[in-house]
Amino acid sequence: MTSASFDSAAERRQRVRAGLARRHLGERLFRGFGVVAIVLALGFVAVLFTDVLRKGIPAFTQSNLHLEVRFDPELLKVDPAPIRAAGQSDADFRATRLAWERQVAMLNWNNVIEAALRAAAPAGFDIDSRQILTIAESDGRHRVRELFVRDPGLLGQRVNVDLLASANTDNWVKGNINRELDDARQQLSAPARALIDIFEENGTISQGFAWSLFTNVDSRSAPAAAGLLGALMGTFWMMLVVIVLAVPLGVGSAIYLEEFAPKSRLTDLIEVNINNLAAVPSIVFGLLGAAVFINWFRLPLSAPLVGGLVLTLMTLPTIIIATRAALKGVSPALRQAALGMGASRTQMVFHHVLPVTFPSILTATIIGVAQAMGETAPLLLIGMNAFVAAVPGTPIEQATALPVQIYLWQGNENRNFFEPRASAAILVLLVFMITLNAIAIFLRSRLEKRA
Amino acid sequence: MNTFIVAGLLLVLLGVAYQRGWTKSRALAIPEGQRVHSRGQYHGTLVVLWTLIPALLVLALWAFFSPGVAHWYIVSQIPNEVLTSLDQTGLNQQMQRIRDLASGFGVAGELRPFEQEAGENLARFQLLSFLIMLAAAAGLGVLGLTFAQRRISARLRARNEVERAISWLLIACSAVAILTTLGIVASLVTEALRFFTYINPLDFFFGTVWAPKFSSTGTGDAGQFGLLPLLSGTLMISTIAMLVAVPVGLMAAIYLNQYAHRSVRRIVKPVIEILAGIPTIVYGFFALVTVGPFLRDVGSSIGLHVSATSALTAGLVMGVMIIPFISSLSDDILSQVPRSLRDGAYGLGATQSETIRNVLLPAALPGIVGAFLLAVSRAIGETMIVVLAAGNAPILRGNPLEPVSTITVSIVNQLTGDTDFTGPQSLVAFALGLTLFIMTLCLNIVALYIVRRFREQYE
């Protein structure tokens, strides 16, 4: 070896060493990008959840008015409730009772609430009756009336009643309204605001858990009383339809394709078709529902049944694909052993293969159902965004669903009050989804161990 | 109520059928000690099937024809002179009144002379037709039951017959997926064709103005239905979403796949995947309430006008939504690259990042492109984020800081609450849906093809 080649080797080493620093810098940079990407992604999750939590948690408390209501005979000029006379027929008694209830309904119950509010206010506080009534939510008169209808003996008595404070009062108490704004831009009049502050101090107004969020249906006239019950029931009916239809159809379809279908052009087409269906935008399923179920089959608009059918078709591919993957994972030894013992193909599948894959299928189903539960867009097209102020008792009654209720509330003009409400509804939805996913994970780990 | 009666009767009948089949099977097997081909359960199930299928057929026929028959009957109850005086809406109202009378619900207003009688007749007719249907279903069911029971013998291959029925049932299940696709295509195409009878397809696909006029429904002036402003908005938002999701998603996947310690990966991966499970309405709300105002404030602090609802807002949030999609798909694809390729590169002295950039990524590229295309298709079809946060301004412009509109937003706007597809104003939703469907279908097919092709290379 000549000295020249030694030189060049040394040079080369020199060059490599010089390049090494650059290459290590590149390595660190690249790795840094990876860390940044992870941090960004985790940051998004954190920001999203803290934002929704921060906005939504206040909506779970509500301002309540603790009033002593007096059923003043002066204000309530009403006949005594009819008592069933001896020998009076059922129908007759019902008729007199109805006439009396009609009379009760015609009374101005706001007067009673106004009197109660005035009694709670300091003596001589100057406020006109329209202003003072803005403090209580407008559904208060129905609630007081109901108390009376249930027990007519209350006439002349005093009762402690908890009523909802109005949405504006609630906002004022929670500090969602800028107190510096001038009168013209305030929702509540100056005396009403002053009175609310007094009420808060003397304990007439206090904060409590917003049970009405879960026990009431949506309301336009009384925003503070608006609740999720209708939407929850609508979602319940839809999910029932999805579970009843999508699970057997999906699992059956997967079993056929994976276990029985001959490998032919046709089954290949079905497979491509199912993969594509899984990637069809959800809004297209809404168009399908509007055209086929509502326009062609004349199924009722806004019904959870139609929503459930649309979501079923959407969820099917997910369940089919997951079930097929689970079936593929079963060891051939199990199948051969079953067949070798003389089982028929059907027996092999239903008695041996399916039980083994049960945990995976269950998990996939729960995850698919959870996804369907959060879907909004297709439901808008089949009329689930109609305002419904009743709890649907059957899947063919008008209803709305939880995600659609969020959509409706975020669009409400009373943004100060309904944005937190929408966030609260989102929290309820997320709790459902996380619970379902947790159940899926728990079941999988539990059942897989046993299998 | 009626449904429960029918379901209850059917269940009782099926219980009896199973019991009969099973008992007969036992009676065959035990005293004579012969070898019976199938076990008792199969005989029971076979009898159940023979009972169930005829009864269900009757029920299905009834469900299909009864609305039409009821309609015909009610119309026959309305006197001719009244019938001729009514238009379609009037007729529907009249029929609803009669139905309400028949159901005992009662009607408001004064009763016309024929209404009371028509209502009573209808109630009788409904009861009668229901009873006939019930009798027919039960009769056929019992007939099937007796026939199947008679057939049971030691040599009857009941198991094979039941299994054949099961396999037909499974085929029917698979057919649902195909029917869904057919339903989508049929409904989109027929309604879109109806739309194109009002509007020239050329004006739709190449029009630059989107201005449907709702006020003039039914008149000649329907407004302008140009797709291009919506298409440009859709593509703009999808591009922004991809600019967010691809770098973050891909780098996250690379880091998790190649660098991260197993324990880190075990925690971080599911946390990122939470993003995929969040309903899109939540993203939309987040964009509208938090991200939009934040971007507007940032913009005004550097002297830039940014609308709170804009292509940028919607695109950024949509990008976040797509991150887990890209990252988990890329992660899968990176894992599939054979170890030998990586080890070869290390053996030549490459650093980890050089191996990833020069060996791993090129090898995984087709799969990543496939994932990318799937993500684009998802971005194009996404609805709730853009409905809430894109601003709904169907104007052709290139500034992402301004509000835009998308195809999906317009579908929702044109069809919400309106399901009487009479004018181009609502029918256009189907033309838009068809466009969307074809766009995403092409992307999906190409993506699936690439992903599949790539997988086979290593197998």
Side-chain angles (χ1 to χ4, degrees):
Chain A
M1 286 211 190
T2 61
S3 63
S5 70
F6 262 115
D7 273 357
S8 73
E11 258 172 40
R12 206 183 304 148
R13 213 172 297 136
Q14 190 70 34
R15 246 189 299 128
V16 167
R17 208 159 277 155
L20 213 53
R22 188 174 43 75
R23 287 173 61 198
H24 281 161
L25 182 69
E27 173 70 31
R28 272 201 300 278
L29 267 179
F30 192 77
R31 206 184 160 128
F33 284 139
V35 174
V36 169
I38 297 283
V39 168
L40 271 177
L42 295 184
F44 289 138
V45 179
V47 169
L48 193 75
F49 274 85
T50 47
D51 188 60
V52 173
L53 280 175
R54 194 172 53 81
K55 289 214 173 74
I57 282 180
F60 283 102
T61 59
Q62 202 163 40
S63 307
N64 294 311
L65 284 164
H66 313 288
L67 293 176
E68 194 188 44
V69 171
R70 174 154 185 262
F71 293 92
D72 188 350
E74 289 294 306
L75 290 174
L76 304 171
K77 293 205 169 36
V78 62
D79 300 338
I83 301 164
R84 188 162 186 167
Q88 197 179 19
S89 77
D90 259 353
D92 279 351
F93 176 69
R94 215 160 47 219
T96 48
R97 172 83 193 181
L98 270 176
W100 178 77
E101 277 179 20
R102 217 162 15 239
Q103 197 191 357
V104 171
M106 296 298 284
L107 297 173
N108 189 351
W109 290 92
N110 276 337
N111 288 340
V112 176
I113 293 176
E114 186 191 333
L117 284 166
R118 281 196 194 281
F125 191 90
D126 184 35
I127 181 167
D128 77 25
S129 61
R130 226 185 39 206
Q131 288 174 0
I132 199 169
L133 279 173
T134 58
I135 296 177
E137 189 49 274
S138 63
D139 74 326
R141 58 176 193 269
H142 304 306
R143 298 177 54 179
V144 174
R145 188 182 66 209
E146 260 165 45
L147 275 181
F148 182 71
V149 170
R150 217 172 295 149
D151 181 8
L154 287 174
L155 197 66
Q157 310 263 330
R158 290 168 186 281
V159 191
N160 284 319
V161 179
D162 278 5
L163 295 178
L164 294 175
S166 70
N168 287 326
T169 307
D170 192 52
N171 273 334
W172 181 259
V173 171
K174 285 179 184 161
N176 291 341
I177 296 176
N178 183 358
R179 295 193 168 221
E180 308 302 318
L181 291 177
D182 47 17
D183 272 0
R185 294 172 62 193
Q186 290 283 6
Q187 299 282 339
L188 293 162
S189 63
R193 299 194 311 262
L195 189 55
I196 292 171
D197 288 343
I198 295 172
F199 277 166
E200 212 189 338
E201 218 153 275
N202 70 17
T204 305
I205 291 183
S206 72
Q207 303 278 314
F209 186 77
W211 290 110
S212 63
L213 196 60
F214 299 99
T215 56
N216 286 7
V217 291
D218 195 11
S219 167
R220 269 185 188 157
S221 55
L228 287 172
L229 186 62
L232 286 174
M233 278 312 286
T235 294
F236 166 77
W237 286 123
M238 279 197 327
M239 290 306 114
L240 197 68
V241 174
V242 170
I243 291 171
V244 166
L245 290 179
V247 177
L249 281 177
V251 173
S253 170
I255 291 174
Y256 177 72
L257 291 175
E258 198 57 41
E259 304 284 345
F260 294 99
K263 293 279 164 261
S264 71
R265 264 269 166 75
L266 185 72
T267 48
D268 215 37
L269 189 77
I270 297 179
E271 186 169 350
V272 173
N273 174 27
I274 287 171
N275 282 333
N276 267 318
L277 266 188
V280 167
S282 61
I283 187 117
V284 171
F285 284 94
L287 287 170
L288 169 82
V292 174
F293 294 136
I294 289 181
N295 204 32
W296 297 356
F297 293 170
R298 298 275 163 207
L299 290 178
L301 208 60
S302 314
L305 175 70
V306 182
L309 287 175
V310 170
L311 294 182
T312 296
L313 297 184
M314 261 185 68
T315 320
L316 262 185
T318 319
I319 297 182
I320 296 178
I321 292 172
T323 307
R324 288 192 70 178
L327 290 175
K328 261 197 195 104
V330 176
S331 107
L334 185 71
R335 293 164 206 271
Q336 281 152 12
L339 291 178
M341 292 299 286
S344 72
R345 232 181 146 73
T346 317
Q347 285 171 327
M348 177 264 282
V349 172
F350 284 91
H351 297 173
H352 302 279
V353 177
L354 264 192
V356 175
T357 50
F358 183 68
S360 323
I361 293 175
L362 196 65
T363 318
T365 309
I366 294 175
I367 289 172
V369 169
Q371 256 172 24
M373 197 164 101
E375 201 51 67
T376 322
L379 301 183
L380 297 182
L381 299 191
I382 55 161
M384 298 284 285
N385 56 339
F387 174 78
V388 181
V391 181
T394 64
I396 52 169
E397 279 171 44
Q398 282 215 327
T400 183
L402 200 45
V404 185
Q405 187 71 65
I406 297 167
Y407 175 73
L408 290 173
W409 278 356
Q410 65 75 33
N412 193 294
E413 301 85 7
N414 191 350
R415 294 196 59 170
N416 240 344
F417 186 74
F418 273 100
E419 259 178 30
R421 277 269 145 133
S423 295
I426 285 178
L427 285 179
V428 174
L429 181 63
L430 288 179
V431 165
F432 271 119
M433 309 214 48
I434 291 171
T435 312
L436 280 177
N437 281 302
I439 290 175
I441 293 168
F442 172 76
L443 281 180
R444 179 160 52 188
S445 64
R446 185 71 191 277
L447 294 172
E448 261 173 6
K449 249 176 245 156
R450 220 186 290 156
Chain B
M1 189 56 203
N2 283 351
T3 329
F4 286 118
I5 294 177
V6 173
L9 282 178
L10 202 59
L11 274 182
V12 171
L13 195 59
L14 296 185
V16 171
Y18 186 85
Q19 181 59 31
R20 285 293 186 84
W22 192 74
T23 340
K24 177 129 186 218
S25 169
R26 269 182 76 87
L28 282 178
I30 294 174
E32 295 162 34
Q34 39 181 333
R35 280 179 64 91
V36 182
H37 174 271
S38 300
R39 299 178 60 194
Q41 296 96 302
Y42 287 104
H43 285 124
T45 315
L46 189 66
V47 180
V48 165
L49 285 175
W50 274 94
T51 315
L52 182 67
I53 292 169
L56 275 189
L57 270 179
V58 173
L59 286 179
L61 283 177
W62 193 69
F64 186 75
F65 285 113
S66 74
V69 173
H71 184 275
W72 163 82
Y73 186 79
I74 298 173
V75 171
S76 76
Q77 289 295 307
I78 303 175
N80 252 333
E81 64 273 12
V82 181
L83 206 55
T84 45
S85 68
L86 290 171
D87 61 349
Q88 190 56 46
T89 349
L91 181 65
N92 284 344
Q93 279 168 359
Q94 183 62 66
M95 290 176 66
Q96 191 56 49
R97 277 174 74 87
I98 295 178
R99 272 197 208 105
D100 287 346
L101 278 171
S103 66
F105 186 71
V107 291
E110 202 162 317
L111 277 180
R112 295 224 228 161
F114 65 90
E115 283 182 328
Q116 187 65 44
E117 198 190 344
E120 282 165 12
N121 283 343
L122 177 63
R124 258 199 306 278
F125 176 75
Q126 278 173 338
L127 185 65
L128 191 68
S129 68
F130 179 69
L131 287 178
I132 290 176
M133 180 278 296
L134 215 57
L140 272 182
V142 172
L143 220 61
L145 194 159
T146 28
F147 176 70
Q149 200 193 349
R150 286 251 175 94
R151 282 184 64 215
I152 293 178
S153 68
R155 303 180 63 186
L156 177 73
R157 297 172 153 249
R159 196 193 73 207
N160 304 39
E161 289 186 20
V162 170
E163 286 182 355
R164 205 171 314 134
I166 289 177
S167 93
W168 278 110
L169 195 71
L170 294 179
I171 291 177
C173 289
S174 327
V176 172
I178 296 192
L179 284 180
T180 308
T181 311
L182 286 181
I184 288 176
V185 173
S187 59
L188 289 183
V189 169
T190 51
E191 306 292 338
L193 284 180
R194 273 175 67 201
F195 169 72
F196 288 130
T197 61
Y198 293 99
I199 306 288
N200 185 347
L202 289 180
D203 289 345
F204 174 68
F205 287 111
F206 300 104
T208 54
V209 179
W210 176 263
K213 289 183 186 155
F214 278 101
S215 54
S216 52
T217 306
T219 64
D221 181 20
Q224 283 171 285
F225 297 92
L227 177 69
L228 291 183
L230 308 180
L231 196 61
S232 81
T234 304
L235 294 181
M236 191 190 287
I237 291 178
S238 308
T239 312
I240 297 170
M242 285 298 127
L243 288 179
V244 175
V246 170
V248 177
L250 193 56
M251 284 312 292
I254 290 173
Y255 186 84
L256 287 180
N257 195 277
Q258 298 291 318
Y259 290 106
H261 190 266
R262 266 185 52 195
S263 58
V264 174
R265 184 186 153 90
R266 239 203 357 245
I267 295 168
V268 171
K269 203 176 173 203
V271 172
I272 292 179
E273 274 165 6
I274 286 179
L275 285 173
I278 293 176
T280 54
I281 177 84
V282 177
Y283 282 110
F285 183 76
F286 178 66
L288 179 73
V289 174
T290 306
V291 178
F294 173 74
L295 289 177
R296 187 190 53 208
D297 295 346
V298 169
S300 64
S301 71
I302 56 170
L304 204 63
H305 175 73
V306 183
S307 295
T309 53
S310 64
L312 184 67
T313 311
L316 280 182
V317 175
M318 199 190 281
V320 173
M321 181 194 87
I322 293 175
I323 287 173
F325 193 72
I326 299 242
S327 74
S328 31
L329 270 177
S330 308
D331 192 24
D332 287 350
I333 289 156
L334 286 173
S335 305
Q336 279 167 18
V337 177
R339 233 198 136 69
S340 58
L341 279 181
R342 263 191 305 166
D343 292 347
Y346 288 145
L348 288 171
T351 66
Q352 208 168 355
S353 67
E354 284 164 346
T355 312
I356 293 167
R357 271 178 304 184
N358 300 330
V359 178
L360 225 56
L361 282 184
L365 194 64
I368 289 173
V369 171
F372 178 84
L373 291 181
L374 283 178
V376 173
S377 131
R378 182 165 275 216
I380 289 176
E382 171 46 44
T383 311
M384 288 325 289
I385 296 177
V386 283
V387 164
L388 292 183
N392 190 23
I395 301 162
L396 198 57
R397 58 183 161 206
N399 184 354
L401 306 180
E402 296 280 328
V404 295
S405 187
T406 68
I407 295 177
T408 48
V409 169
S410 301
I411 293 176
V412 170
N413 287 344
Q414 299 302 114
L415 209 58
T416 300
D418 183 11
T419 46
D420 221 11
F421 311 140
T422 45
Q425 285 86 356
S426 52
L427 285 175
V428 68
F430 291 92
L432 291 171
L434 188 64
T435 318
L436 183 69
F437 181 70
I438 292 175
M439 279 166 74
T440 51
L441 187 70
C442 292
L443 282 170
N444 294 336
I445 289 179
V446 173
L448 289 174
Y449 176 77
I450 294 178
V451 172
R452 235 192 208 188
R453 200 48 210 270
F454 168 72
R455 263 194 199 136
E456 281 162 6
Q457 277 179 6
Y458 295 123
E459 277 166 2

